[in-house]
Each structure stands twice: as C-alpha cells, then as structure tokens.
Amino acid sequence: MSNPQGSGIDRKKKVTVYRQIYDILKRELAEGVYDAVEVLPSERLLCERFGVERNTVRKALEFLVEDGLAVKAPGYGTKILRESPVEAPAKFAQLRQNILLFTRETDPLGSKMEYFHLKLMRVLERKIYEMGYNLICKTLSPEVRLEDVIAFTCPAAVLFDSYFQKENYQQVLGMGIPCLSINHYTPLLTSVVSNNFDGAYRVARRMAEAGHRNIALITGKMGHQTTMERLSGFRSLYLEKNLSQNLKYVYQGDWMFDSGAAIGEQILTLPKEERPTAVFAFNDDLAYGCLSSLEKHGLSMPEEISLVGFDHSDRYEGIFRLITTVDVNIEDMVQYACWCLDGQIKRSFPRALAKIQVETILVDNGTIRKIPEE
C-alpha cells in the first residue's frame, strides 16, 4: 500500500472541502493506493491528514458509499468494495449494526446498579435485537471520550439513558447520528419519559383519601429530574386539597436499597406517637430497603405503617411481600423509543423534536391502610 502524502486541500477553491476529500480518496482508490487493505484509514486519521473536523470527513465518505466504492461496516469503519456495487451491499446488509446506549450508571449490569436501569437495559436489548440491531452499553467518564466510543462502535443511532451534559447531546447531533433520550427530558432531543408527576399525584391522592396526613417521603437524589417531578406531583395534591405536609418527614435517599434501609432506621428513632403513618419512597429499591428495617424491628405493614414505592420492580419478589407501587410502563417507553429511532434511521420520522410521555399506573397491592375516622 502506498502512503499518501499531504492533505491536497486547497481552501481557496470554490469546491467544498469535503468534495475535495472525496475526489482525492476516489482517485487514490482508482490508483490502487489502498489495494493491500480492506478498509480506508479511520475517520480520526483522515481528519488529521486533511486538517478538518470529523463531520467533513464523514460527508466525503458518504459520497464514496453512495457511489458504491465503499460500505459502512460496523466495528470496522469504511470498507473498500472488492465486489460489484450490486453484490457488496447485500453481503454487508447481513451484518447487524450497533445502537449505542450511554448510561450514567458506573456499574452497568452490576449488583450496585439501580434496578430500574437494569430492567430498562434488558428490555432495550430485546427490542433492539428484534429491530435487527445490537445494543452496546457504555458509561461516560472523564477518562472516556464520547467521540472515541462513537468511532469504535460505529453506531447507527445513539440512546441516552437519563441526564447528560448538553455538550454530549450536541456532539452526537453534530455528527449527524440519529439520537434520542430515554428516561430524561431534554429540549435538544426527542425524549421518551414516564409521567412521574402524575404517578406521584396518584399516590398522594390515594394516601389522602385513606386519611394519611403525616407521610414520610424518601426521595431520590435532589436535583435529579425524576426526583423533582415526583416531589412536585405529590405536593401538588396537598396544595390542591389545602392539606398540610410536615417537612420533617422528607428524607433524601440515593435510589439504592441500603439508603432506604438507613432511612427506615431513622424513622424508627422517632417516638412512636410522632412516627409517620405512611412512607412513600421514590423508587422500589428505596421502598424495599425501608421495609427491611421496619420488618426487622417487628412493625407490621400496613397495620402500623403504610408503604408505597415507584417503578413496579420485580427484583424483590419471593423475598418481601409485594407493596403498592407505580408502574412506569418500561415496555411502552422502550417501544416508543425504538419506533422513534427506527424512524430516524430510516429518515421516516419527522425532524421536529417531541416529548413522548408514557402514562403510569398505580398498582395496589394492599399496603395503604385506611385510617379510621375519629
């Protein structure tokens, strides 16, 4: 293989830079510069050679693909066609492309992961496989650059699970890759979320109707969109009904089982007459953690204290009794997300941004006791 020298780019020409790059690569292919290899140089190397941004190189490569001179091969880069333009696309169409899922979880698929995200990944993996793609999960950190992950995985589309910096969204958008946010709303991307506000409002209404006034809230991390939506939904009912809420019963958790257990212990340190009559935890990991502490100290539920969670987790079935919870309809969230992604990839989905909000369902497992009227 010859070693191309220099960029060959004349920025004074009226011809666009990406078209000049396309012409250079096309000429080198015809001259047999790459006759000993199967793939073109990586996008990063081409960017360095021509002194341009990745988007410019990608446009040039897209022209080569359209001309039948190369084909995108996930995991490899841009492959040079040795077959005829008719035979080669059919060959590479048999390869499954990747859809990349960025998650904020530091222990993807591990035991320290919030169960909601683990379940979300499992459902996504199944649905995306049915679409004809592979799901690759990656965690972003200061040591892992988004552009490097993109270059390595060559995704057909990108999913963001929960909150990321707007710069991350803008990077993927700037690369022209179809992308979507799930479980977090951002005005920069089409977002598929559950109706957290309404789910928490339903819990508050059920508890108020049962006569509960002193209710302990175990929140997720403050500042998280999910936490604020569920907190707002719960408080909205009490403002609407002009009912008071004791703020001393608001405890901040971190979404994990151990956090809920520790807060359960805190609740039990209160004098019996001052204890809340009910607990609303902002996810089921927190709820079942709290339940473990209450049961360890002999409290019966719901006779002595009512308990409600959120997310409708099956993680603790067979370990604890089922509690009343809110089903966020992960299956529907994933179904909508896959539909939108498929439409973006095929360019049949409208370019307008959308907030798709999936409705929640209160699943009553009998852990809200009605307080007798005096």
Side-chain angles (χ1 to χ4, degrees):
M1 168 182 161
S2 304
N3 183 25
Q5 299 294 324
S7 73
I9 299 298
D10 184 353
R11 298 181 185 276
K12 295 181 180 179
K13 282 186 177 181
K14 292 184 179 180
V15 179
T16 58
V17 172
Y18 65 81
R19 185 72 194 191
Q20 291 184 58
I21 295 173
Y22 158 78
D23 289 336
I24 291 170
L25 294 175
K26 184 178 179 180
R27 185 184 69 250
E28 290 175 348
L29 285 170
E31 293 173 350
V33 172
Y34 306 103
D35 58 353
V37 297
E38 290 293 328
V39 294
L40 285 168
S42 68
E43 291 179 0
R44 180 180 62 81
L45 290 175
L46 290 173
C47 288
E48 291 176 0
R49 175 187 172 187
F50 293 110
V52 296
E53 298 293 328
R54 193 180 295 268
N55 279 345
T56 304
V57 164
R58 283 195 167 170
K59 285 183 180 180
L61 294 176
E62 284 174 6
F63 276 110
L64 291 176
V65 172
E66 289 176 8
D67 282 359
L69 298 172
V71 66
K72 283 289 186 182
Y76 294 93
T78 305
K79 297 200 74 169
I80 302 165
L81 294 188
R82 303 302 183 192
E83 301 89 344
S84 72
V86 174
E87 296 169 349
K91 174 183 174 182
F92 287 105
Q94 297 173 6
L95 296 173
R96 281 181 174 266
Q97 288 185 280
N98 299 322
I99 288 181
L100 181 60
L101 174 68
F102 282 120
T103 175
R104 292 182 61 82
E105 294 292 331
T106 55
D107 184 26
L109 308 184
S111 60
K112 295 297 184 181
M113 183 178 185
E114 185 190 343
Y115 188 68
F116 168 85
H117 296 283
L118 178 59
K119 188 174 180 181
L120 178 66
M121 286 182 185
R122 286 174 174 169
V123 178
L124 273 169
E125 185 175 35
R126 171 166 51 86
K127 293 288 188 182
I128 283 174
Y129 190 83
E130 291 171 1
M131 288 170 60
Y133 297 88
N134 290 317
L135 180 69
I136 297 178
C137 300
K138 293 291 183 181
T139 302
L140 284 183
S141 66
E143 297 77 31
V144 180
R145 299 197 314 161
L146 180 147
E147 54 266 38
D148 290 339
V149 178
I150 295 287
F152 180 76
T153 57
C154 300
V158 172
L159 271 167
F160 290 95
D161 171 18
S162 299
Y163 168 74
F164 284 82
Q165 297 291 332
K166 68 177 182 179
E167 290 79 9
N168 297 138
Y169 304 135
Q170 290 168 337
Q171 274 183 289
V172 178
L173 287 169
M175 295 175 184
I177 303 173
C179 52
L180 180 145
S181 176
I182 190 167
N183 192 44
H184 178 83
Y185 169 69
T186 169
L188 296 174
L189 304 178
T190 289
S191 308
V192 180
V193 297
S194 64
N195 193 339
N196 291 301
F197 181 96
D198 187 65
Y201 181 90
R202 291 168 188 258
V203 172
R205 183 172 61 191
R206 183 66 63 88
M207 286 186 167
E209 289 171 350
H212 293 279
R213 297 296 179 267
N214 293 330
I215 303 167
L217 301 181
I218 305 179
T219 74
K221 293 179 180 179
M222 287 299 179
H224 282 203
Q225 190 178 88
T226 301
T227 297
M228 303 315 296
E229 288 173 347
R230 293 175 187 178
L231 188 60
S232 296
F234 186 88
R235 287 178 169 170
S236 178
L237 183 281
Y238 278 76
L239 290 171
E240 182 182 302
K241 302 292 185 182
N242 198 26
L243 302 173
S244 61
Q245 183 193 355
N246 196 328
L247 294 179
K248 78 174 183 179
Y249 294 132
V250 178
Y251 300 88
Q252 181 181 333
D254 66 359
W255 301 114
M256 304 304 291
F257 181 95
D258 290 347
S259 175
I263 291 170
E265 295 289 343
Q266 290 182 51
I267 291 172
L268 290 168
T269 63
L270 297 171
K272 192 171 183 179
E273 64 277 7
E274 294 182 18
R275 287 178 188 166
T277 60
V279 175
F280 174 32
F282 281 20
N283 76 348
D284 283 350
D285 287 319
L286 291 169
Y288 281 103
C290 181
L291 175 60
S292 70
S293 293
L294 299 179
E295 288 191 338
K296 183 173 69 175
H297 290 277
L299 268 72
S300 60
M301 182 186 65
E303 290 77 17
E304 292 182 85
I305 191 165
S306 297
L307 179 64
V308 178
F310 213 108
D311 291 343
H312 198 204
S313 169
D314 57 1
R315 188 178 207 170
Y316 304 98
E317 288 183 9
I319 303 174
F320 298 102
R321 66 161 294 176
L322 296 179
I323 62 171
T324 297
T325 185
V326 177
D327 189 343
V328 296
N329 286 324
I330 286 180
E331 290 278 346
D332 284 356
M333 289 176 66
V334 170
Q335 191 72 35
Y336 276 112
C338 289
W339 170 67
C340 291
L341 274 185
D342 189 54
Q344 287 189 39
I345 293 168
K346 296 176 180 175
R347 301 190 178 183
S348 61
F349 189 77
R351 290 194 174 186
L353 300 178
K355 180 181 182 181
I356 300 173
Q357 191 163 253
V358 176
E359 290 306 305
T360 59
I361 300 170
L362 183 64
V363 181
D364 190 348
N365 286 315
T367 56
I368 301 178
R369 176 179 69 97
K370 184 173 177 60
I371 296 178
E373 295 181 5
E374 297 181 357

